[in-house]
Amino acid sequence: MARRYLSIALLTEGLSDQWFYVPLIDRQVEALESESEVGFDFVGTTPGSCFTVAPRERVVQEVELLLEHMDIVIVHHDHNERGKVEALRAGLSAPQSAERVIGIVPVRETEAWMLADPAALPDGPATALRDLIGSPREVEKVADPKKALGQVFGPRHRPEYDFDRLGQRVSLTELQQIPAYGRWVGDLREALERMRCL
């Protein structure tokens, strides 16, 4: 059987989420590809041209446009906005396309997932963070993950660099211990199975 080509687009709430998710999704897809018997060619995640905080009609328009050219569209929202992914699916003019739209929805914020692997963070503050969190499952309980992450990186924090680096380094095994992350990977796996990539 010939290998197939896989294309994935991503819409996030904001640019800082994109910096983290693009390399992370690339790595997770590559990890899933290594389990595939048939294999597939994947060239990387393509960011969309709008953010999911835009008016719903605009986001639906963007998703429909992306679905014309891409196999899967991943849509990011924080948990307090979790209904937006379902509403977006329901708003598509071609309902059969809804199964190709996958939500990536942290319980709190993307920054909580960035705290899941202290080994991927700067050495000094990561020790205190390890004591604060205990296990990756507990990162969703951190009251203010943005603040915690700011403290870890300190005054020289450059989100566009630090978040991209975390997306490249955070352990997928540690992230899999977070239930919301595990749900997203499960949804992605199901989509790839429907497409006969896995």
Side-chain angles (χ1 to χ4, degrees):
M1 182 184 289
R3 288 169 66 91
R4 68 156 292 155
Y5 175 80
L6 175 69
S7 56
I8 293 180
L10 169 69
L11 296 180
T12 57
E13 284 192 343
L15 194 54
S16 62
D17 301 300
Q18 197 176 96
W19 292 327
F20 176 67
Y21 282 126
V22 167
L24 177 66
I25 292 169
D26 289 350
R27 291 175 56 225
Q28 187 62 69
V29 171
E30 287 166 10
L32 290 171
E33 196 272 338
S34 71
E35 302 172 16
S36 172
E37 292 180 13
V38 293
F40 55 85
D41 292 319
F42 174 62
V43 295
T45 305
T46 303
S49 64
C50 80
F51 295 117
T52 57
V53 292
R56 184 176 300 161
E57 301 77 25
R58 171 72 183 97
V59 178
V60 168
Q61 238 178 11
E62 174 74 2
V63 168
E64 290 192 321
L65 179 64
L66 289 169
L67 287 170
E68 289 178 17
H69 307 283
M70 310 298 276
D71 295 309
I72 294 172
V73 177
I74 297 174
V75 178
H76 160 251
H77 284 293
D78 290 335
H79 189 68
N80 61 343
E81 304 279 356
R82 64 191 175 280
K84 281 189 172 181
V85 176
E86 285 307 319
L88 194 151
R89 287 183 183 130
L92 295 174
S93 57
Q96 68 274 19
S97 297
E99 68 181 16
R100 294 171 43 216
V101 178
I102 299 172
I104 188 165
V105 186
V107 168
R108 282 196 184 273
E109 301 166 330
T110 298
E111 285 81 3
W113 288 7
M114 295 181 194
L115 298 170
D117 178 16
L121 297 166
D123 288 337
T127 305
L129 180 66
R130 206 173 281 116
D131 295 339
L132 169 71
I133 294 174
S135 82
R137 291 185 65 88
E138 296 176 32
V139 295
E140 299 279 25
K141 296 177 184 174
V142 174
D144 189 344
K146 281 187 175 73
K147 182 178 178 184
L149 202 60
Q151 291 171 339
V152 164
F153 281 106
R156 299 180 72 103
H157 179 40
R158 293 178 296 156
E160 69 278 10
Y161 171 79
D162 296 330
F163 293 175
D164 177 81
R165 186 176 163 97
L166 278 174
Q168 294 176 45
R169 294 184 62 194
V170 64
S171 164
L172 300 180
T173 304
E174 299 292 292
L175 284 169
Q176 286 274 16
Q177 295 180 51
I178 304 170
Y181 187 87
R183 278 191 296 277
W184 169 68
V185 173
D187 291 345
L188 179 60
R189 183 188 301 276
E190 284 178 19
L192 294 177
E193 286 171 354
R194 283 193 299 270
M195 295 167 56
R196 297 200 168 107
C197 287
L198 296 181

